[in-house]
Amino acid sequence: MTNANARNQMWEWTGFNAMAPREAERADVGPGQVEVRIRAIGICGTDLHIMSGHAEFGKPPLPLGHELAGVVERVGAGVASWRAGDRVCVDPLTACGACEACLAGNKHRCLDSGEFGLHYPGGWQRFMVVPAANLYLLPDAVGFAEATQAETLHCCLGGIDKLDVRIGDQATVVGDGPTGLYFVQLLKAAGAGKVRMIGMRDYRLRLARELGADETTNLRDPDAIPPASNAQDIVIDAAGTETSLAQSIDILKIGGRLLLFGLAGKPITVDMQTVVLKELSLLGSTNAPHVWPRVIQMLAAGQARVKPLLTHTYTFGEMDKAIAFARSQTDEAIKIIVSIDDNQEESQ
Ligand SMILES: [Zn+2]
Ligand SMILES: [Zn+2]
Protein backbone atom coordinates (compact mmCIF):
# COMPACT_ATOMS: atom_id res chain seq x y z
CA MET A 1 0.00 0.00 0.00
CA THR A 2 3.00 2.29 -0.33
CA ASN A 3 2.24 5.62 -1.86
CA ALA A 4 5.60 7.25 -2.47
CA ASN A 5 3.96 10.64 -2.81
CA ALA A 6 1.98 10.50 0.42
CA ARG A 7 2.54 13.57 2.56
CA ASN A 8 3.52 13.36 6.19
CA GLN A 9 0.98 13.90 8.93
CA MET A 10 2.06 14.72 12.43
CA TRP A 11 0.91 15.88 15.83
CA GLU A 12 3.01 18.59 17.41
CA TRP A 13 3.30 19.72 20.98
CA THR A 14 2.60 23.44 20.55
CA GLY A 15 2.73 24.91 24.07
CA PHE A 16 1.53 24.39 27.63
CA ASN A 17 -0.47 21.13 27.51
CA ALA A 18 -1.42 21.87 23.91
CA MET A 19 -1.01 19.96 20.67
CA ALA A 20 -2.16 20.30 17.07
CA PRO A 21 -2.14 18.20 13.89
CA ARG A 22 -0.12 19.37 10.91
CA GLU A 23 0.64 18.14 7.42
CA ALA A 24 4.07 18.54 5.84
CA GLU A 25 6.29 17.26 3.08
CA ARG A 26 8.13 14.11 4.05
CA ALA A 27 11.75 14.63 5.07
CA ASP A 28 14.53 13.60 2.70
CA VAL A 29 16.25 10.34 3.59
CA GLY A 30 19.96 11.17 3.80
CA PRO A 31 22.97 8.85 3.67
CA GLY A 32 22.90 6.37 6.54
CA GLN A 33 19.26 7.16 7.29
CA VAL A 34 16.04 5.18 7.07
CA GLU A 35 12.45 6.36 6.78
CA VAL A 36 10.06 4.42 9.01
CA ARG A 37 6.31 4.29 8.53
CA ILE A 38 5.20 4.48 12.15
CA ARG A 39 2.68 1.80 13.11
CA ALA A 40 2.44 2.10 16.91
CA ILE A 41 3.31 4.77 19.47
CA GLY A 42 3.39 4.32 23.23
CA ILE A 43 2.24 7.27 25.34
CA CYS A 44 4.69 7.86 28.20
CA GLY A 45 4.59 9.96 31.36
CA THR A 46 7.56 11.82 29.91
CA ASP A 47 5.37 13.08 27.06
CA LEU A 48 3.01 14.62 29.61
CA HIS A 49 5.90 16.14 31.57
CA ILE A 50 7.30 17.76 28.42
CA MET A 51 3.89 19.12 27.42
CA SER A 52 3.40 20.68 30.85
CA GLY A 53 6.76 22.43 30.61
CA HIS A 54 8.19 20.50 33.55
CA ALA A 55 10.97 18.88 31.57
CA GLU A 56 13.69 20.84 29.88
CA PHE A 57 14.12 18.98 26.63
CA GLY A 58 13.10 20.37 23.24
CA LYS A 59 11.01 23.47 22.55
CA PRO A 60 7.60 23.61 20.85
CA PRO A 61 6.49 23.15 18.14
CA LEU A 62 7.79 19.58 18.30
CA PRO A 63 6.31 16.18 17.49
CA LEU A 64 6.90 14.09 20.64
CA GLY A 65 6.88 10.26 20.82
CA HIS A 66 9.81 8.04 21.76
CA GLU A 67 8.19 4.58 22.15
CA LEU A 68 7.95 3.60 18.52
CA ALA A 69 7.55 0.69 16.12
CA GLY A 70 6.87 0.57 12.40
CA VAL A 71 7.92 -0.58 8.96
CA VAL A 72 10.91 0.51 6.92
CA GLU A 73 9.65 2.61 3.99
CA ARG A 74 12.77 4.04 2.30
CA VAL A 75 16.50 3.64 2.91
CA GLY A 76 19.20 6.22 2.25
CA ALA A 77 22.51 5.84 0.47
CA GLY A 78 24.97 3.44 2.05
CA VAL A 79 22.37 1.59 4.13
CA ALA A 80 22.82 -2.12 3.49
CA SER A 81 21.23 -3.51 6.64
CA TRP A 82 17.60 -2.52 5.99
CA ARG A 83 15.11 -2.87 3.19
CA ALA A 84 11.57 -1.64 2.62
CA GLY A 85 9.06 -3.76 4.52
CA ASP A 86 11.29 -4.69 7.46
CA ARG A 87 9.36 -4.55 10.75
CA VAL A 88 11.33 -2.54 13.29
CA CYS A 89 11.32 -0.78 16.60
CA VAL A 90 13.19 2.47 17.17
CA ASP A 91 15.88 3.21 19.73
CA PRO A 92 15.25 6.96 20.15
CA LEU A 93 18.66 7.76 21.64
CA THR A 94 21.20 9.46 19.42
CA ALA A 95 24.71 10.72 20.21
CA CYS A 96 27.94 11.95 18.61
CA GLY A 97 29.23 8.46 17.81
CA ALA A 98 32.86 9.48 18.20
CA CYS A 99 33.59 10.21 21.87
CA GLU A 100 34.97 7.78 24.45
CA ALA A 101 31.51 6.96 25.84
CA CYS A 102 30.02 6.35 22.38
CA LEU A 103 32.94 4.18 21.28
CA ALA A 104 32.54 2.11 24.46
CA GLY A 105 28.90 1.41 23.56
CA ASN A 106 27.53 3.86 26.12
CA LYS A 107 26.03 6.50 23.86
CA HIS A 108 23.63 7.49 26.64
CA ARG A 109 26.66 8.83 28.53
CA CYS A 110 27.75 10.99 25.59
CA LEU A 111 27.71 14.69 26.44
CA ASP A 112 25.96 15.29 23.10
CA SER A 113 23.32 12.59 23.50
CA GLY A 114 19.65 13.37 22.94
CA GLU A 115 16.44 11.57 22.12
CA PHE A 116 13.98 11.67 19.27
CA GLY A 117 10.72 12.74 20.84
CA LEU A 118 12.40 14.57 23.72
CA HIS A 119 15.06 16.83 22.21
CA TYR A 120 14.47 16.21 18.50
CA PRO A 121 11.31 15.56 16.47
CA GLY A 122 9.86 12.23 17.57
CA GLY A 123 7.40 9.69 16.27
CA TRP A 124 4.06 11.48 16.50
CA GLN A 125 4.31 11.31 12.72
CA ARG A 126 3.23 8.94 9.97
CA PHE A 127 6.76 8.93 8.55
CA MET A 128 9.91 9.47 10.56
CA VAL A 129 13.54 9.53 9.39
CA VAL A 130 16.12 8.06 11.80
CA PRO A 131 19.74 6.82 11.58
CA ALA A 132 19.87 3.21 10.35
CA ALA A 133 21.75 2.22 13.52
CA ASN A 134 18.74 3.19 15.67
CA LEU A 135 16.55 0.35 14.38
CA TYR A 136 16.08 -3.20 15.63
CA LEU A 137 14.40 -5.94 13.59
CA LEU A 138 11.21 -7.36 15.09
CA PRO A 139 10.59 -11.11 15.06
CA ASP A 140 7.17 -12.01 13.60
CA ALA A 141 5.97 -13.03 17.07
CA VAL A 142 6.29 -9.45 18.37
CA GLY A 143 3.48 -7.08 17.38
CA PHE A 144 3.95 -3.34 16.82
CA ALA A 145 2.08 -2.29 19.97
CA GLU A 146 4.19 -4.64 22.12
CA ALA A 147 7.34 -3.49 20.37
CA THR A 148 6.79 0.12 21.48
CA GLN A 149 7.56 -1.14 24.97
CA ALA A 150 11.07 -2.27 24.03
CA GLU A 151 12.22 1.27 24.84
CA THR A 152 10.90 1.16 28.40
CA LEU A 153 11.98 -2.45 28.87
CA HIS A 154 15.52 -1.71 27.76
CA CYS A 155 15.85 0.90 30.52
CA CYS A 156 14.53 -1.63 33.03
CA LEU A 157 16.79 -4.44 31.81
CA GLY A 158 19.84 -2.18 32.04
CA GLY A 159 18.98 -1.61 35.69
CA ILE A 160 18.46 -5.31 36.36
CA ASP A 161 21.89 -6.07 34.89
CA LYS A 162 23.48 -3.62 37.31
CA LEU A 163 21.82 -5.31 40.29
CA ASP A 164 23.52 -8.63 39.61
CA VAL A 165 20.48 -10.61 40.80
CA ARG A 166 21.24 -13.98 42.40
CA ILE A 167 18.88 -16.94 42.50
CA GLY A 168 16.72 -16.68 45.59
CA ASP A 169 17.37 -12.99 46.33
CA GLN A 170 14.56 -11.29 48.24
CA ALA A 171 13.50 -8.34 46.12
CA THR A 172 11.00 -5.48 46.34
CA VAL A 173 9.85 -3.00 43.73
CA VAL A 174 8.59 0.31 45.09
CA GLY A 175 6.21 2.03 42.63
CA ASP A 176 3.37 0.51 40.63
CA GLY A 177 3.79 2.31 37.30
CA PRO A 178 4.59 0.51 34.02
CA THR A 179 8.30 0.29 34.86
CA GLY A 180 7.49 -1.24 38.26
CA LEU A 181 5.35 -3.88 36.55
CA TYR A 182 8.19 -4.65 34.14
CA PHE A 183 10.73 -4.81 36.97
CA VAL A 184 8.64 -7.43 38.80
CA GLN A 185 8.77 -9.67 35.73
CA LEU A 186 12.47 -9.09 35.08
CA LEU A 187 13.39 -9.85 38.69
CA LYS A 188 11.52 -13.13 38.44
CA ALA A 189 13.14 -13.94 35.09
CA ALA A 190 16.55 -13.14 36.62
CA GLY A 191 16.01 -15.66 39.40
CA ALA A 192 14.93 -13.58 42.39
CA GLY A 193 13.09 -15.60 45.03
CA LYS A 194 10.21 -13.78 46.63
CA VAL A 195 9.35 -10.59 44.71
CA ARG A 196 7.20 -7.94 46.34
CA MET A 197 5.64 -4.77 45.02
CA ILE A 198 4.76 -1.74 47.11
CA GLY A 199 2.30 0.64 45.51
CA MET A 200 -0.84 2.67 45.99
CA ARG A 201 -3.28 1.37 43.36
CA ASP A 202 -5.14 -1.92 43.83
CA TYR A 203 -5.73 -2.48 40.12
CA ARG A 204 -2.01 -2.33 39.39
CA LEU A 205 -1.02 -4.40 42.42
CA ARG A 206 -3.45 -7.09 41.30
CA LEU A 207 -1.84 -7.02 37.87
CA ALA A 208 1.59 -7.25 39.52
CA ARG A 209 0.49 -10.49 41.19
CA GLU A 210 -0.79 -11.83 37.86
CA LEU A 211 2.59 -11.00 36.35
CA GLY A 212 4.51 -12.86 39.03
CA ALA A 213 4.73 -10.76 42.20
CA ASP A 214 4.50 -13.03 45.26
CA GLU A 215 3.26 -10.30 47.58
CA THR A 216 1.96 -6.77 47.23
CA THR A 217 1.37 -3.97 49.71
CA ASN A 218 -0.98 -1.06 49.12
CA LEU A 219 0.34 1.86 51.18
CA ARG A 220 -3.13 3.42 51.15
CA ASP A 221 -4.70 0.38 52.80
CA PRO A 222 -4.79 1.00 56.60
CA ASP A 223 -5.00 -2.76 57.24
CA ALA A 224 -1.98 -3.61 55.09
CA ILE A 225 0.95 -5.14 56.94
CA PRO A 226 3.88 -2.79 56.37
CA PRO A 227 6.92 -4.37 54.69
CA ALA A 228 9.51 -5.51 57.24
CA SER A 229 12.65 -3.50 57.89
CA ASN A 230 16.05 -5.01 57.04
CA ALA A 231 14.61 -7.88 54.98
CA GLN A 232 15.40 -7.29 51.31
CA ASP A 233 18.54 -8.13 49.36
CA ILE A 234 17.40 -5.89 46.51
CA VAL A 235 15.07 -2.91 46.26
CA ILE A 236 14.18 -1.06 43.08
CA ASP A 237 12.87 2.45 43.67
CA ALA A 238 10.71 2.94 40.59
CA ALA A 239 8.80 5.82 42.19
CA GLY A 240 11.59 8.28 42.93
CA THR A 241 10.06 10.24 45.79
CA GLU A 242 11.52 11.15 49.17
CA THR A 243 9.08 8.74 50.79
CA SER A 244 9.81 5.82 48.43
CA LEU A 245 13.54 6.31 48.89
CA ALA A 246 13.28 6.37 52.69
CA GLN A 247 11.20 3.21 52.58
CA SER A 248 13.64 1.52 50.20
CA ILE A 249 16.55 2.23 52.54
CA ASP A 250 14.58 0.98 55.51
CA ILE A 251 13.55 -2.39 54.08
CA LEU A 252 16.98 -3.29 52.67
CA LYS A 253 19.19 -5.73 54.55
CA ILE A 254 22.61 -4.61 55.68
CA GLY A 255 24.75 -4.87 52.53
CA GLY A 256 21.69 -4.67 50.23
CA ARG A 257 21.56 -3.25 46.69
CA LEU A 258 19.30 -0.34 45.78
CA LEU A 259 18.50 0.54 42.19
CA LEU A 260 17.53 4.21 41.86
CA PHE A 261 15.31 4.44 38.81
CA GLY A 262 12.35 6.78 39.39
CA LEU A 263 13.04 10.49 38.92
CA ALA A 264 12.20 12.91 41.72
CA GLY A 265 12.39 15.95 39.45
CA LYS A 266 13.96 17.98 42.25
CA PRO A 267 16.59 17.55 44.99
CA ILE A 268 15.31 15.35 47.82
CA THR A 269 16.55 14.53 51.31
CA VAL A 270 18.16 11.14 51.92
CA ASP A 271 19.22 9.56 55.24
CA MET A 272 22.82 9.04 54.12
CA GLN A 273 23.97 7.99 57.56
CA THR A 274 21.80 4.89 57.34
CA VAL A 275 23.10 4.22 53.82
CA VAL A 276 26.65 4.27 55.21
CA LEU A 277 25.92 2.27 58.35
CA LYS A 278 23.99 -0.40 56.43
CA GLU A 279 26.73 -0.50 53.77
CA LEU A 280 24.17 -0.19 50.99
CA SER A 281 25.12 -0.12 47.32
CA LEU A 282 23.27 2.64 45.47
CA LEU A 283 23.02 2.22 41.70
CA GLY A 284 21.63 4.87 39.38
CA SER A 285 20.39 3.76 35.97
CA THR A 286 18.90 5.38 32.86
CA ASN A 287 19.46 3.91 29.40
CA ALA A 288 21.42 0.83 28.38
CA PRO A 289 22.07 0.84 24.61
CA HIS A 290 23.78 -2.56 24.60
CA VAL A 291 20.75 -4.48 25.96
CA TRP A 292 18.38 -3.75 23.02
CA PRO A 293 19.03 -7.06 21.21
CA ARG A 294 18.29 -8.96 24.43
CA VAL A 295 15.06 -7.03 24.95
CA ILE A 296 13.87 -8.10 21.51
CA GLN A 297 14.78 -11.72 22.32
CA MET A 298 13.04 -11.46 25.67
CA LEU A 299 9.83 -10.17 24.02
CA ALA A 300 9.94 -12.90 21.38
CA ALA A 301 10.43 -15.57 24.06
CA GLY A 302 7.63 -14.22 26.26
CA GLN A 303 9.98 -13.65 29.20
CA ALA A 304 8.37 -10.27 29.75
CA ARG A 305 4.63 -9.94 29.23
CA VAL A 306 3.71 -6.59 27.78
CA LYS A 307 0.16 -7.08 26.50
CA PRO A 308 -1.53 -7.02 29.94
CA LEU A 309 -0.14 -3.50 30.40
CA LEU A 310 -1.51 -2.20 27.09
CA THR A 311 -4.88 -1.19 28.44
CA HIS A 312 -6.13 1.40 25.93
CA THR A 313 -5.70 1.96 22.19
CA TYR A 314 -6.41 5.05 20.09
CA THR A 315 -6.02 5.85 16.40
CA PHE A 316 -3.51 8.38 15.05
CA GLY A 317 -6.33 10.88 14.44
CA GLU A 318 -7.25 10.58 18.12
CA MET A 319 -3.77 11.41 19.43
CA ASP A 320 -5.13 14.43 21.34
CA LYS A 321 -7.77 12.22 22.98
CA ALA A 322 -5.10 9.66 23.91
CA ILE A 323 -3.03 12.36 25.61
CA ALA A 324 -6.06 13.81 27.42
CA PHE A 325 -6.94 10.34 28.68
CA ALA A 326 -3.36 9.70 29.81
CA ARG A 327 -3.45 12.98 31.71
CA SER A 328 -6.64 11.93 33.53
CA GLN A 329 -4.48 9.37 35.43
CA THR A 330 -7.11 6.68 35.67
CA ASP A 331 -5.78 3.71 37.67
CA GLU A 332 -6.81 1.31 34.90
CA ALA A 333 -4.92 3.22 32.19
CA ILE A 334 -1.48 1.68 32.44
CA LYS A 335 -0.14 2.00 28.90
CA ILE A 336 -1.97 3.84 26.16
CA ILE A 337 -1.03 2.92 22.60
CA VAL A 338 -1.72 4.90 19.47
CA SER A 339 -2.02 2.33 16.71
CA ILE A 340 -1.93 3.06 12.98
CA ASP A 341 -3.34 0.19 10.94
CA ASP A 342 -3.71 -0.43 7.20
CA ASN A 343 -7.36 0.58 7.09
CA GLN A 344 -6.62 3.99 8.54
CA GLU A 345 -3.78 4.44 6.08
CA GLU A 346 -5.96 3.61 3.11
CA SER A 347 -8.67 5.99 4.17
CA GLN A 348 -6.33 8.96 4.56
ZN1 LIG B 1 9.01 6.71 27.85
ZN1 LIG C 1 29.53 10.65 22.02
Side-chain angles (χ1 to χ4, degrees), residues 90-317:
V90 180
D91 169 5
L93 191 78
T94 176
C96 84
C99 71
E100 197 180 321
C102 283
L103 293 175
N106 291 313
K107 62 177 175 174
H108 61 303
R109 295 177 183 166
C110 174
L111 295 177
D112 285 329
S113 73
E115 288 196 39
F116 297 109
L118 275 68
H119 309 87
Y120 313 114
W124 288 4
Q125 309 187 62
R126 304 299 291 270
F127 299 97
M128 181 187 182
V129 175
V130 293
N134 284 59
L135 299 179
Y136 289 93
L137 188 68
L138 295 177
D140 291 342
V142 181
F144 293 118
E146 276 177 274
T148 63
Q149 297 307 291
E151 199 277 327
T152 313
L153 272 165
H154 111 277
C155 294
C156 296
L157 182 57
I160 291 286
D161 281 358
K162 287 181 181 169
L163 279 169
D164 190 19
V165 182
R166 289 165 302 201
I167 292 176
D169 272 340
Q170 301 279 306
T172 292
V173 179
V174 185
D176 57 16
T179 56
L181 293 165
Y182 290 137
F183 274 128
V184 164
Q185 300 184 66
L186 297 184
L187 282 166
K188 275 289 176 184
K194 213 166 195 179
V195 174
R196 293 168 184 77
M197 176 178 263
I198 299 174
M200 295 201 281
R201 292 169 282 199
D202 276 331
Y203 178 86
R204 292 171 179 223
L205 295 172
R206 206 178 317 129
L207 182 56
R209 292 194 293 275
E210 281 167 29
L211 294 171
D214 300 284
E215 247 171 48
T216 57
T217 305
N218 187 338
L219 294 174
R220 289 196 176 130
D221 177 359
D223 299 328
I225 301 159
S229 300
N230 304 314
Q232 303 297 302
D233 299 292
I234 287 171
V235 173
I236 298 175
D237 182 0
T241 66
E242 203 163 301
T243 314
S244 66
L245 183 53
Q247 179 151 54
S248 300
I249 290 168
D250 175 58
I251 63 179
L252 275 165
K253 287 180 184 171
I254 292 172
R257 282 108 72 206
L258 173 56
L259 183 72
L260 302 165
F261 190 84
L263 296 173
K266 58 176 186 196
I268 57 175
T269 302
V270 187
D271 175 6
M272 286 311 289
Q273 176 151 312
T274 302
V275 172
V276 174
L277 293 176
K278 287 178 79 166
E279 297 195 331
L280 301 179
S281 297
L282 269 52
L283 302 154
S285 200
T286 56
N287 292 66
H290 51 283
V291 308
W292 274 86
R294 283 165 56 213
V295 168
I296 309 295
Q297 288 304 313
M298 203 170 72
L299 283 171
Q303 283 180 296
R305 288 170 61 205
V306 165
K307 280 183 185 158
L309 277 73
L310 308 182
T311 49
H312 296 78
T313 305
Y314 288 83
T315 65
F316 189 74

Side-chain angles (χ1 to χ4, degrees), residues 39-41 145 313-316 337-341 344:
R39 297 297 301 270
I41 304 162
T313 305
Y314 288 83
T315 65
F316 189 74
I337 299 293
V338 169
S339 173
I340 307 165
D341 64 27
Q344 290 174 51

